[in-house]
Amino acid sequence: MDFRLFWLALGAFAIGAEGFVVSSLLPGISVDTGVTIAQGGHLVLAFALAYALGGPVLASFSGHRDRRGVLSASMLVFTIGNVIAGLAHSYEQLLIARVVMALAAGLYVATAQATAVAISEPHHRARAISVIVGGTTVAVAFGAPLGALIAGYTGWRGAFWSVAVIGFASTVAIWTMLPAGLKGPKLALSDRLAVIGQPGMVPALLGTFLPLVGGFTVFTYIAPLATETFGLSAALLPLILLAFGVGAAIGNFFGGQLADRIGATRTVMGSTVLTAAALATISFLPHLPVTVAQTGFLVLVVLWGIVAWSLPPAQASRVIKLAPEASALALSLNASALYLGVALGSVVGGEVLTYAAPIDLGWIAGLFPAAAFALLVLVRREPSLTEAKLG
């Protein structure tokens, strides 16, 4: 394994830590900036949309440039964005900072995956991509809880500054460790989007999009859900994120294993139906005695992390099989579908908080992975050669 991959993964870790810690920061941000928690959720929406839509565009313009320069520059901009967020005195400044971060993050991740493939032996390419994705998984498991813990002592600004430190370290490491002159082909945005036309690609991308809508309907607002609905202390938020993250790490590992053993599509179907059940159960638990509900919520968060995060490695396997000759482009589209799901999830959750109550987040969220499961069932009833290959 090329050691340089781990420096690329460090950048993915910084991006993932910032992305997943924000949900726990929303109560503090709303107090300091004078917005509601639902309005604060637009910080997640803005990041997700900028990442999903801006990443492919920037990657199209920069694909033929020196990758060391692109990676270093994008990570440096991401770092500066975190510094600006930590210094922000208004909601508008924070919103702009997150958009800047997202654009840089989308470009970085797409370029990092392509670079990982380029510097690895052909028979190690899938493993190389998994190292980069692993940076995000570790961020979910440990980076976001650590950021929430830091925020508990220093305020929400401290979380952004700590990510900035990691981002700067990644910038220096990438510039020092990666060789100069490594370039890729210049691909127009139309070439990237053409991958969508591959048979079975749209249903596969919906299989990423819909479960993420459901997951982030709840995850974006997990802080008010935990404190207002379950009566848990805000000091327990790092523990809640850690519980989810540990489950996510377990799910990510076993999701890949299951996809290899029973097939990627079967793994995705199992993940979606179990995720729907886990999310719906969140709305049921508060009707139980308080102690039982609180304990059940903490246990359920771990189980939710396991079943939900068994999806990404299986979905990555599916989209690569659909377009093996353009795997990097297919993975880029899958990442865009993921972040569009995050974006819509933050909107749905915000609307639930505006017109209903946090207790309603779970059952409404569960409708989206349930829809993904129904779509997969319909597709499998009319199997094509492509779907047969997917398993």
Side-chain angles (χ1 to χ4, degrees):
M1 182 69 67
D2 193 322
F3 185 74
R4 293 172 296 181
L5 295 174
F6 293 100
W7 294 115
L8 294 174
L10 181 63
F13 172 84
I15 291 169
E18 194 280 336
F20 283 92
V21 76
V22 167
S23 61
S24 68
L25 307 181
L26 290 183
I29 289 173
S30 67
V31 170
D32 287 354
T33 60
V35 299
T36 66
I37 290 180
Q39 290 171 326
H42 293 163
L43 295 172
V44 178
L45 170 65
F47 184 97
L49 286 177
Y51 186 110
L53 302 178
V57 174
L58 292 175
S60 297
F61 286 123
S62 63
H64 65 294
R65 298 187 180 276
D66 180 76
R67 285 177 176 168
R68 183 179 72 167
V70 172
L71 288 166
S72 299
S74 58
M75 184 48 58
L76 182 60
V77 171
F78 175 78
T79 300
I80 293 171
N82 275 276
V83 173
I84 294 173
L87 296 173
H89 292 291
S90 70
Y91 174 76
E92 290 74 19
Q93 291 174 350
L94 193 53
L95 187 66
I96 292 171
R98 288 221 84 211
V99 170
V100 170
M101 279 188 260
L103 292 172
L107 176 58
Y108 177 88
V109 172
T111 307
Q113 290 185 351
T115 303
V117 170
I119 65 177
S120 301
E121 296 293 333
H123 57 286
H124 285 159
R125 286 178 177 174
R127 193 179 303 175
I129 292 175
S130 71
V131 173
I132 310 303
V133 176
T136 303
T137 304
V138 174
V140 176
F142 303 109
L146 180 60
L149 186 63
I150 292 172
Y153 288 98
T154 65
W156 58 268
R157 300 177 190 276
F160 288 111
W161 289 331
S162 63
V163 172
V165 171
I166 301 172
F168 183 72
S170 176
T171 302
V172 173
I174 289 168
W175 182 259
T176 304
M177 298 295 180
L178 285 184
L182 187 64
K183 300 179 181 181
K186 184 175 182 179
L187 294 173
L189 184 60
S190 58
D191 294 329
R192 293 175 177 272
L193 296 179
V195 178
I196 297 178
Q198 294 284 348
M201 183 61 76
V202 171
L205 294 177
L206 286 173
T208 297
F209 172 74
L210 290 170
L212 266 294
V213 175
F216 274 81
T217 294
V218 172
F219 192 84
T220 303
Y221 304 101
I222 198 167
L225 178 67
T227 56
E228 297 176 22
T229 302
F230 289 94
L232 294 168
S233 168
L236 289 176
L237 286 175
L239 177 61
I240 294 170
L241 290 181
L242 179 62
F244 181 83
V246 169
I250 295 171
N252 185 72
F253 175 78
F254 284 106
Q257 299 291 318
L258 281 174
D260 288 339
R261 292 189 178 187
I262 67 173
T265 298
R266 292 184 183 90
T267 302
V268 170
M269 293 180 73
S271 172
T272 53
V273 72
L274 291 174
T275 298
L279 291 171
T281 302
I282 289 175
S283 291
F284 166 76
L285 284 176
H287 298 289
L288 300 176
V290 174
T291 303
V292 175
Q294 292 176 339
T295 303
F297 177 67
L298 292 174
V299 173
L300 185 62
V301 165
V302 178
L303 297 176
W304 171 30
I306 292 173
V307 298
W309 275 77
S310 64
L311 178 79
Q315 276 293 85
S317 176
R318 295 183 82 224
V319 299
I320 288 174
K321 287 180 181 178
L322 286 169
E325 73 290 346
S327 59
L329 301 185
L331 287 172
S332 177
L333 286 174
N334 191 54
S336 292
L338 186 152
Y339 274 94
L340 287 174
V342 172
L344 183 57
S346 68
V347 172
V348 173
E351 292 300 300
V352 172
L353 293 186
T354 300
Y355 297 103
I359 193 175
D360 297 306
L361 287 169
W363 72 265
I364 292 175
L367 297 175
F368 292 94
F373 176 77
L375 175 63
L376 284 164
V377 171
L378 289 174
V379 170
R380 286 175 67 82
R381 283 181 178 175
E382 299 179 1
S384 64
L385 176 61
T386 302
E387 283 299 312
K389 289 180 180 178
L390 288 177

